[in-house]
């Protein structure tokens, strides 16, 4: 599970690159995230260590390549709906809508 800054940076990187077809610069990441340059570089390093992006610390941030564009689910969290009883509902189709409304 990612901390706040790396998660925010990953979302910004993904949306920025899909919208503008390029990676944001360090100053653009600072403006969009509200984080300092040091925090951005630490967050980028965290993303690189956890294999969300490919990025070398010595390279500019716009040289990063996104490997995984969304945060992985937390394996320790319970599965949604686990332990709940599900009722079978009868599906009538959409004819009721057209006949009775």
């Amino acid at each position: 599970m990612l901390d706040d800054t790396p998660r925010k940076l990953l979302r910004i990187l993904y949306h920025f690159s899909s919208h503008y077809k390029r990676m944001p610069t360090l100053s653009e990441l600072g403006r969009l995230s509200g984080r300092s340059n040091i925090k951005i570089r630490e967050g980028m390093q965290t993303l690189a260590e956890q294999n969300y992006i490919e990025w070398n610390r010595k390279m500019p941030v716009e040289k990063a390549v996104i490997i995984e564009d969304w945060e992985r689910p937390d394996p320790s969290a319970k599965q949604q709906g686990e332990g709940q009883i599900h009722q079978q509902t009868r599906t009538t189709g959409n004819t009721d809508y057209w006949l009775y409304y």
Side-chain angles (χ1 to χ4, degrees), residues 3-10 33 35 39-40 42-43 47:
D3 289 335
D4 186 42
T5 300
R7 182 175 43 249
K8 188 170 194 171
L9 290 174
L10 184 61
S33 68
R35 306 295 200 270
K39 292 288 185 185
I40 290 172
E42 289 172 0
L47 290 172

Side-chain angles (χ1 to χ4, degrees), residues 25-83:
T25 62
L26 187 62
S27 62
E28 289 170 330
L29 278 174
R31 178 178 52 85
L32 294 170
S33 68
R35 306 295 200 270
S36 67
N37 290 349
I38 295 169
K39 292 288 185 185
I40 290 172
R41 287 196 172 273
E42 289 172 0
M44 294 287 287
Q45 186 63 36
T46 302
L47 290 172
E49 288 169 357
Q50 295 185 11
N51 294 324
Y52 284 99
I53 62 172
E54 281 186 25
W55 179 68
N56 185 353
R57 191 175 191 99
K58 297 176 185 175
M59 301 295 288
V61 294
E62 50 275 3
K63 298 291 184 185
V65 176
I66 299 172
I67 298 172
E68 196 167 340
D69 57 0
W70 202 262
E71 184 179 13
R72 297 176 197 113
D74 186 15
S76 64
K78 280 188 169 183
Q79 293 290 331
Q80 187 176 11
E82 185 175 287

Side-chain angles (χ1 to χ4, degrees), residues 89-101:
T89 57
R90 195 177 86 199
T91 307
T92 59
N94 66 351
T95 56
D96 288 347
Y97 177 80
W98 298 106
L99 294 175
Y100 300 112
Y101 296 109

